[in-house]
């Protein structure tokens, strides 16, 4: 067989030990906080039945779902006329009955419905697994990436929104990523806006345009609204929301005026006010809570609270987390009236932010603490005895596998940034001792075989 | 949209919090020992290029690899005559350019070749990721399952085989799974057998038959060998290997006689003897090392040591781990002369064995330590203040999200096996106190708000 030049599919990544040390650091912190907040892990299969995923993410989503080709003779039972006309839309479900998970929310909804009799509600679950999308790869966008989600289903309580604000704060505090802004909005506020301007049936167009305020400015938003048939008069009424000023509670005060005639709008204000008041007496550790009425994320299924987390102001990157409440998530699988609320952490972006701000602690490292140089059979055997003791003490230790030249073994230690090298040569063997070399300072100390202590390697 | 009855593809699994608590327990122990032994993690994409995987696992393997259907108009550029004749063998590579990983070894070989300039050799990597096979699902065999592999590439040293024996011993000791047997063999021993009976060209047939001794007995093995054209005379010569007696070193002694005329056989003995002698002075903690000349696992690429781990004798399950040395693994991707040796842990089977032997510690649990009952707004707010303190102390704590009836909240605590319930009602709020109820004993104690201590919940 001719040798193949190795490569990986576009949009995918290999992760090296150095990269994984960082990713595991973040994932462990997230997992730890999820657990402390009472969330329990679940895992779902990488592929779901074709019908479980299709039709849940809109037309664009359907296109971006990776389908798995049926095993065996996939062409056998295909409709002959679809085959002849190469009608790929009709052929796809006939030659593919499985598809790779596109997010963690739909599989979670499927899980809840399928296992409803084994679940104690309210059910707080977290899930940290990869998802796949056939998106065009670009900087920071991949075809395989991890999602880290925490959701609660089975309760409408606003205490859960409060817990999610605290959870965001706790995770980013644990990561030493201080000064993130947790932005909140509420679908009911957006419905209220559409109502007071008399354009309730244009809610989606209205919010999609409003969501772009950051990017295209007030002028741009207004033009888009006009182009969607929202009247200039209506827009005039809503202009104050383009420059809401002050902190969360000051914005609430302004909104009370704007939305005074909308019942649903006032309900949204009430919910946000409850959250803000509670958080003010349960102060956040390092994050800020803000109200952003332009937030609309995934409006298609959010029905109440909407969350988005922005990195600290000195980092120019999009959101590093988001979420919201969806009142009827499991309905697509036949279980009605189960409200859910959840948030997600953007692992890749959090990693980028932490690199940019140099926030990874220097202790995280993929290397061993101690390398034993290999001088031959008897010396290596004695080294392995020492290594066993070091590992029992919790140290990461290894033997260089061959009795190669000293320089080669030291080069290996240097390239791998191994902090301590242990030398047991012929004379040490005789003296029943080992030499420890600190690779940073160059200092060397000799110890007896019976003087193995963790403090020697600190 | 009509509601769908939810299900998952056959051969796949949802994992509940209870199941994951057990799996994470095992994975963490394995990961921890990998790290202590100096192995570094890598991760590779879930799907590889079609050509990277195809042709690496034999015809059967090719069939069992899940292929991903190309996105967009997959039928567009297909050869018209292949389409017309529905030649699926030829069509598959035209409509699929990616496939799901079938194991971790081939992606690792690809990784090493692709990143050879960034790697310091010898390279010790571990990898814990799912793999996918379109096998017929049956008890204990799944279409998606985890592999946990540790390999070293870039050295021929037998010290590595010794480290792998120690690694198996350490992991199973940490899991409290005592008394496993690490069985070893060597491809060179098998080649030696074939040589001394004058059937070197029938090595594969010979070893495939020998490998079945456990299952079909001596009679069965002999019949299979005869049916493959190995002469009765030749088989007669080799009969002593069907009932090798004694411990590792006694078997070695017998083998020295049987293989005295085979250079390669003697080399195999020498390798195994070196390992056995070294382990005898670096005693294993809880595992046994044994020699099993019938072991042949994946002979297609193993060239030296062969490993297999058997569960303790009182558990009737197949192997729970295996591995071996392959001298030229990366050659398929154009990098010659890189020897590799590695082992694998069978996560699913280890989990089954540990369940059967009741080895999971009672502390592993997916539940929270403390539930705070919710009596209304002011009480809940005070409870959240307490919960914040408990989480800072490292406890897992949560608030019941709604001020539901006391009975409902206590039922929730019982169903989730939550050991402590905290009660802050109106009177506690006045007294600035909280009541802790031990759900197992039913005992209750009252504490002041300023008396929050971890010892209250032990």
């Amino acid at each position: 067989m001719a040798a193949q030049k190795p490569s990986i599919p576009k949009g995918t990544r290999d992760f090296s030990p150095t990269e994984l040390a960082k990713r595991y650091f973040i994932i462990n912190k997230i997992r730890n906080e999820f657990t402390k907040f009472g969330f329990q892990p679940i895992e779902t299969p990488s592929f779901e039945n074709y019908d479980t995923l299709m039709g849940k993410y809109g037309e664009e989503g359907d296109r971006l779902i990776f389908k798995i080709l049926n095993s065996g003779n996939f062409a056998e039972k295909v409709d002959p006329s679809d085959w002849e006309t190469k009608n790929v839309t009709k052929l796809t479900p006939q030659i593919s009955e499985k598809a790779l998970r596109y997010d963690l929310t739909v599989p979670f909804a499927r899980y809840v419905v399928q296992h409803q009799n084994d679940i104690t509600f309210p059910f707080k679950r977290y899930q940290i697994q990869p998802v796949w999308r056939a998106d065009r790869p670009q900087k920071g966008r991949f075809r395989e990436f991890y999602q880290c989600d925490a959701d609660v289903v089975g309760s409408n309580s606003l205490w859960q929104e409060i817990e999610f604000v605290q959870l965001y704060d706790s995770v980013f505090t644990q990561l030493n990523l201080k000064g993130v802004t947790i932005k909140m909005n509420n679908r009911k506020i957006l419905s209220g806006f559409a109502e007071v301007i008399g354009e309730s049936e244009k809610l989606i167009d209205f919010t999609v345009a409003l969501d772009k305020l950051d990017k295209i400015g007030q002028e741009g938003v207004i033009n888009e609204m006009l182009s969607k048939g929202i009247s200039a008069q209506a827009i005039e009424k809503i202009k104050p929301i383009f420059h809401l000023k002050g902190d969360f509670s000051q914005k609430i005060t302004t909104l009370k005026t704007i939305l005074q005639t909308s019942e649903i709008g006032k309900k949204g204000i009430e919910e946000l006010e409850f959250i803000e008041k509670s958080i003010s007496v349960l102060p956040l550790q390092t994050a800020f809570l803000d109200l952003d009425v332009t937030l609309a994320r995934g409006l298609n299924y959010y029905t109440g609270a909407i969350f988005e987390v922005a990195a600290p102001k000195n980092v120019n990157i999009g959101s590093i987390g988001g979420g919201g409440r969806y009142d009827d998530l499991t309905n697509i699988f036949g279980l009605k009236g189960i409200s859910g609320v959840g948030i997600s952490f953007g692992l890749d972006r959090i990693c980028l932010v932490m690199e940019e701000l140099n926030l990874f602690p220097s202790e995280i490292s993929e290397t061993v603490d101690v390398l034993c140089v290999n001088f031959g059979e008897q010396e290596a055997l004695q080294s392995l005895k020492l290594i066993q003791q070091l590992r029992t003490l919790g140290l990461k230790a290894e033997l260089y596998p061959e009795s190669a030249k000293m320089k080669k073994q030291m080069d290996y230690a240097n390239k791998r940034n191994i902090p301590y090298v242990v030398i047991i040569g012929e004379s040490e063997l005789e003296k029943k001792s080992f030499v420890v070399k600190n690779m940073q300072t160059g200092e060397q100390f000799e110890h007896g075989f019976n003087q193995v202590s963790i403090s020697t390697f600190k």
Side-chain angles (χ1 to χ4, degrees), chain A:
Chain A
M1 180 179 8
Q4 299 166 352
K5 187 167 174 278
S7 66
I8 51 177
K10 62 178 178 186
T12 68
R13 293 166 286 176
D14 281 329
F15 291 105
S16 72
T18 315
E19 291 161 330
L20 286 178
K22 293 176 182 171
R23 288 171 71 86
Y24 291 170
F25 175 78
I26 297 172
I27 288 174
N28 286 338
K29 294 285 187 194
I30 293 175
R31 190 188 293 279
N32 200 32
E33 294 308 303
F34 282 176
T35 304
K36 277 206 260 172
F37 275 71
F39 291 87
Q40 307 177 284
I42 69 162
E43 290 186 5
T44 60
S46 296
F47 44 73
E48 295 273 350
N49 289 324
Y50 185 87
D51 292 336
T52 299
L53 300 186
M54 294 299 283
K56 309 301 189 296
Y57 307 99
E59 233 173 85
E60 169 82 349
D62 280 357
R63 226 171 34 75
L64 299 183
I65 289 172
F66 282 111
K67 289 95 184 172
I68 294 172
L69 187 61
N70 288 346
S71 302
N73 189 345
F74 59 82
E76 202 177 10
K77 291 176 189 159
V78 166
D79 181 292
S81 82
D82 294 337
W83 189 265
E84 207 176 315
T85 57
K86 290 193 175 177
N87 185 333
V88 293
T89 310
K90 286 190 166 176
L91 283 175
T92 302
Q94 298 179 61
I95 65 174
S96 162
E97 56 188 31
K98 291 184 283 293
L100 289 176
R101 165 172 75 212
Y102 180 85
D103 72 358
L104 302 179
T105 306
V106 169
F108 172 52
R110 194 265 311 143
Y111 180 98
V112 169
V113 177
Q114 189 173 332
H115 303 284
Q116 53 184 290
N117 297 325
D118 306 319
I119 291 174
T120 308
F121 292 97
F123 180 45
K124 299 169 80 170
R125 90 83 172 81
Y126 78 80
Q127 196 168 354
I128 302 177
Q129 290 193 280
V131 302
W132 297 269
R133 297 182 184 180
D135 248 324
R136 190 121 63 108
Q138 49 177 260
K139 192 176 180 306
R141 191 201 280 166
F142 303 99
R143 291 188 153 187
E144 173 175 47
F145 59 97
Y146 267 74
Q147 289 195 333
C148 312
D149 285 15
D151 293 80
V152 196
V153 286
S155 163
N156 288 304
S157 166
L158 286 172
W159 292 108
Q160 294 170 334
E161 275 84 338
I162 292 164
E163 278 223 307
F164 282 120
V165 172
Q166 292 184 305
L167 179 55
Y168 267 139
D169 176 53
S170 287
V171 168
F172 289 117
T173 300
Q174 287 299 317
L175 290 172
N176 203 23
L177 181 47
K178 296 168 184 162
V180 305
T181 301
I182 303 164
K183 299 189 281 185
M184 286 199 72
N185 194 11
N186 194 302
R187 161 74 170 252
K188 293 169 184 140
I189 299 270
L190 295 167
S191 299
F193 291 153
E195 193 175 85
V196 297
I197 63 173
E199 301 274 14
S200 282
E201 75 294 348
K202 294 225 168 73
L203 173 62
I204 303 287
D205 288 335
F206 174 80
T207 52
V208 165
L210 188 59
D211 198 29
K212 297 180 185 162
L213 185 61
D214 250 12
K215 286 172 199 147
I216 60 177
Q218 179 177 336
E219 208 66 17
V221 171
I222 290 175
N223 285 335
E224 180 165 330
M225 287 182 177
L226 289 169
S227 79
K228 296 288 180 181
I230 297 170
S231 73
Q233 208 178 352
I235 295 168
E236 195 56 37
K237 269 195 216 163
I238 214 70
K239 265 193 178 164
I241 68 172
F242 291 140
H243 17 73
L244 282 181
K245 290 222 166 56
D247 63 15
F248 199 118
S249 62
Q250 289 167 315
K251 288 177 188 167
I252 289 280
T253 307
T254 314
L255 285 178
K256 282 182 176 167
T257 313
I258 300 173
L259 293 173
Q260 56 187 311
T261 60
S262 163
E263 278 317 304
I264 189 151
K266 284 194 282 189
K267 184 83 184 66
I269 292 173
E270 191 187 303
E271 292 187 5
L272 285 172
E273 202 170 17
F274 177 74
I275 294 164
E276 197 274 331
K277 274 172 55 190
S278 301
I279 289 296
S280 73
V281 296
L282 298 162
L284 299 180
Q285 302 167 72
T286 63
F288 304 108
L289 182 64
D290 197 9
L291 171 56
D292 180 353
V293 296
T294 69
L295 252 196
R297 299 176 67 88
L299 187 78
N300 291 341
Y301 55 91
Y302 291 137
T303 53
I306 303 171
F307 298 98
E308 190 168 279
V309 182
K313 299 215 163 43
N314 51 338
V315 185
N316 185 21
I317 204 165
S319 71
I320 55 175
R325 180 175 288 277
Y326 30 89
D327 269 345
D328 227 358
L329 181 74
T330 55
N331 193 18
I332 44 173
F333 298 111
L335 185 61
K336 287 191 212 299
I338 300 277
S339 183
V341 54
I343 62 172
S344 189
F345 288 82
L347 178 62
D348 289 309
R349 288 208 180 153
I350 292 171
C351 204
L352 287 173
V353 172
M354 290 188 59
E355 267 169 1
E356 191 165 329
L357 298 178
N358 210 5
L359 293 180
F360 288 107
S362 57
E363 313 89 75
I364 68 159
S365 152
E366 75 294 354
T367 200
V368 290
D369 304 304
V370 183
L371 174 78
C372 285
V373 176
N374 187 332
F375 285 102
E377 197 170 323
Q378 287 313 310
E379 293 86 347
L381 207 52
Q382 185 58 48
S383 297
L384 277 182
K385 284 184 190 170
L386 178 66
I387 286 170
Q388 257 182 340
Q389 291 177 277
L390 296 176
R391 286 178 187 151
T392 307
L393 293 171
L395 290 169
K396 297 179 272 175
E398 66 178 24
L399 170 72
Y400 193 84
E402 282 159 273
S403 56
K405 288 209 175 101
M406 183 74 167
K407 183 177 178 312
K408 192 176 175 188
Q409 301 193 44
M410 294 309 256
D411 278 355
Y412 172 85
N414 278 322
K415 274 190 201 155
R416 284 199 57 198
N417 289 314
I418 299 174
Y420 294 96
V421 166
V422 161
I423 297 161
I424 299 179
E426 208 181 331
S427 73
E428 285 80 16
L429 210 53
E430 264 172 36
K431 288 186 282 177
K432 297 190 191 304
S433 70
F434 61 97
V435 170
V436 177
K437 178 169 183 169
N438 181 321
M439 295 295 280
Q440 219 154 16
T441 65
E443 288 175 310
Q444 295 194 180
F445 293 100
E446 195 164 350
H447 305 266
F449 283 169
N450 55 359
Q451 293 175 301
V452 180
S453 154
I454 197 162
S455 62
T456 307
F457 304 93
K458 291 265 154 149

